[in-house]
Amino acid sequence: MFKFFKKNTPILPDFWTLYANTFKTTMPEDLESTTFIVLDTETTGFDYTDDRMLSIGAVAVYQQTIAVNKGFEIYIKQEVYGKEAAKIHGILKHGTIPKVSELDALKMLLSYIGNKTIIAHHAIFDIQMINKALARHHLPALKNKHIDTSQLYKKTLLKSNLITKKEHYSLDELADKFNISKKDRHTAMGDAYITAILFLKILSKLKEKKNLRIKDLLD
């Protein structure tokens, strides 16, 4: 637990201060000058309170290129374990994959993402899981702006009485629609990479309509 000043003002750790200070830099408004971080989490389940993150995968996207060689992938040691979820992501509680503590994972993640805009499919889930983990360590929530590729896809659809937009579009559904390989699906890094390709393909369609800026993409 971190120390507190008078009137319950927390003294936040250095790694959080370094992360927060990155937001003092003015972010670019145009797409070509912006670096996006596309991320995904694998978890023990879907309950924000009771479940935990088991891995985080992320790749950077800059100038329509996915920087796979600068990706981020980490596995997290947790006492909570979900047998049903393990059937999907394959992460075993006592497997041989090296794991770090949740706090160390958060330190490394914050250093990686800095002030960059986060892209994720059904982004609110991943961001909430990260924020719940931050809260367990008495840290504030993420400060980053985010874009949800499920919602962004809807912007490509024509406004017509003949088209009924769904509330949500799954990653599998959109990967099939855009002919994206689903190799390594249901791993954090694999899903982050699929989402990054999907993001670029959606951007390509949106650019056909108008000169896009960051504010046009945000939820």
Side-chain angles (χ1 to χ4, degrees):
M1 181 180 295
F2 302 110
K3 297 178 180 177
F4 286 80
F5 276 129
K6 291 179 180 179
K7 297 182 181 179
N8 293 329
T9 301
I11 301 175
L12 296 169
D14 290 345
F15 71 85
W16 177 269
T17 302
L18 286 172
Y19 162 73
N21 284 344
T22 64
F23 289 86
K24 294 179 180 177
T25 303
T26 303
M27 296 292 289
E29 291 292 327
D30 64 295
L31 294 178
E32 292 302 312
S33 303
T34 300
T35 300
F36 300 94
I37 297 296
V38 188
L39 66 75
D40 181 77
T41 63
E42 294 299 322
T43 66
T44 58
F46 299 109
D47 189 296
Y48 292 139
T49 300
D50 295 333
D51 284 307
R52 298 290 185 269
M53 293 187 295
L54 292 174
S55 68
I56 306 171
V59 292
V61 173
Y62 179 66
Q63 293 186 337
Q64 301 185 51
T65 300
I66 303 171
V68 178
N69 60 336
K70 295 181 181 177
F72 176 93
E73 185 175 34
I74 200 158
Y75 290 83
I76 305 168
K77 191 185 307 177
Q78 301 282 12
E79 291 305 314
V80 176
Y81 186 68
K83 289 183 179 178
E84 293 304 313
K87 293 175 183 175
I88 298 172
H89 53 60
I91 302 173
L92 302 176
K93 185 174 184 179
H94 301 295
T96 57
I97 299 174
K99 299 173 183 173
V100 302
S101 70
E102 186 174 78
L103 181 58
D104 283 342
L106 293 171
K107 289 179 186 176
M108 289 184 268
L109 177 66
L110 294 179
S111 175
Y112 181 76
I113 63 176
N115 63 350
K116 299 175 184 66
T117 300
I118 292 173
I119 312 288
H121 200 75
H122 298 151
I124 193 65
F125 175 77
D126 299 288
I127 288 174
Q128 279 285 64
M129 292 302 292
I130 293 169
N131 284 339
K132 287 292 184 181
L134 289 167
R136 281 193 289 276
H137 298 281
H138 309 283
L139 292 165
L142 288 174
K143 298 165 68 70
N144 306 71
K145 296 176 180 177
H146 71 270
I147 296 169
D148 184 335
T149 44
S150 174
Q151 298 304 312
L152 189 63
Y153 168 68
K154 292 182 184 179
K155 297 179 189 284
T156 70
L157 301 177
L158 296 174
K159 292 181 180 178
S160 166
N161 293 331
L162 301 176
I163 298 175
T164 302
K165 294 182 181 179
K166 296 169 62 175
E167 185 68 23
H168 301 289
Y169 293 87
S170 71
L171 186 55
D172 285 318
E173 186 177 7
L174 294 186
D176 289 339
K177 180 174 183 60
F178 286 95
N179 295 316
I180 301 170
S181 168
K182 291 185 283 187
K183 184 177 183 295
D184 293 332
R185 179 81 173 92
H186 297 303
T187 66
M189 180 57 98
D191 284 359
Y193 184 64
I194 293 168
T195 303
I197 297 173
L198 174 62
F199 174 60
L200 292 177
K201 287 181 176 286
I202 293 173
L203 271 190
S204 178
K205 288 187 71 68
L206 290 175
K207 283 179 178 176
E208 295 172 1
K209 295 183 179 180
K210 60 180 179 178
N211 186 24
L212 286 175
R213 299 176 71 81
I214 294 296
K215 63 182 181 182
D216 299 317
L217 307 180
L218 295 172
D219 295 331

